């Protein structure tokens, strides 16, 4: 399973995702792409197999991934305090990979109907979805 995890800011969510997925799927090939070096570094420390930073890394990663995981902002241009470029959002949106987008209500992007859910619940939900996907 080729998983691309995209994160911004400090990479805290991405770090938790990498750890949880590696625990459940040790053989999964995880590529971590941060919009900045701190996000990338934190995901790499958590056990990602490959890591890169920046816009082109997102574009290339989206072409190669089976599954793309990250906050919903990775599919919205100029989100995450401007760290997501139009090219990044377009690459995520146009990718044929399965996308597991985590609802985060930040930066004027409000996911209606989604309350304040704990990060641990959201990470567990991603892992459950991967388990279902791997059993298909």
């Amino acid at each position: 399973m080729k998983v691309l995890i995209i994160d911004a800011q400090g990479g805290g969510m991405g770090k938790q995702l990498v750890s949880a997925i590696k625990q459940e799927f040790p053989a999964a090939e995880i590529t971590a792409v941060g919009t900045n070096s701190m996000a990338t570094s934190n995901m790499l420390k958590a056990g990602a197999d490959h890591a890169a930073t920046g816009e082109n890394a997102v574009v290339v990663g989206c072409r190669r991934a089976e599954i793309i995981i990250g906050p919903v902002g990775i599919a919205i241009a100029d989100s995450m305090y401007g760290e997501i470029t139009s090219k990044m959002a377009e690459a995520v949106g146009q990718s044929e990979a399965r996308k597991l987008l985590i609802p985060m209500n930040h930066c004027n992007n409000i996911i209606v109907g989604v309350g304040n859910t704990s990060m641990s619940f959201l990470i567990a939900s991603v892992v459950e979805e991967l388990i279902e996907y791997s059993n298909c």
Side-chain angles (χ1 to χ4, degrees):
M1 177 174 5
K2 290 184 177 187
V3 177
L4 173 64
I5 298 175
I6 303 171
D7 203 3
Q9 310 289 289
M13 177 190 294
K15 182 177 181 178
Q16 291 179 60
L17 285 165
V18 171
S19 291
I21 294 167
K22 275 296 187 181
Q23 185 173 353
E24 186 69 35
F25 300 95
E29 182 182 337
I30 297 178
T31 300
V33 175
T35 59
N36 60 66
S37 59
M38 180 183 284
T40 304
S41 176
N42 281 329
M43 291 187 284
L44 192 56
K45 288 176 189 172
D49 299 293
H50 314 284
T53 303
E55 181 179 80
N56 198 57
V58 170
V59 172
V60 172
C62 286
R63 287 195 305 249
R64 297 179 177 167
E66 285 179 64
I67 300 169
I68 298 170
I69 304 172
V72 70
I74 66 173
I76 302 170
D78 297 332
S79 68
M80 302 176 85
Y81 298 104
E83 290 191 38
I84 301 299
T85 68
S86 297
K87 277 188 174 181
M88 290 172 168
E90 181 178 21
V92 170
Q94 291 182 345
S95 175
E96 294 197 16
R98 174 177 226 129
K99 296 159 200 77
L100 303 181
L101 301 176
I102 300 166
M104 302 299 297
N105 291 330
H106 292 301
C107 304
N108 292 329
N109 294 308
I110 308 302
I111 312 300
V112 177
V114 175
N116 264 345
T117 306
S118 73
M119 184 62 65
S120 59
F121 174 80
L122 294 169
I123 301 296
S125 297
V126 168
V127 171
E128 285 299 315
E129 186 66 33
L130 287 174
I131 290 169
E132 287 182 34
Y133 174 78
S134 70
N135 289 330
C136 291

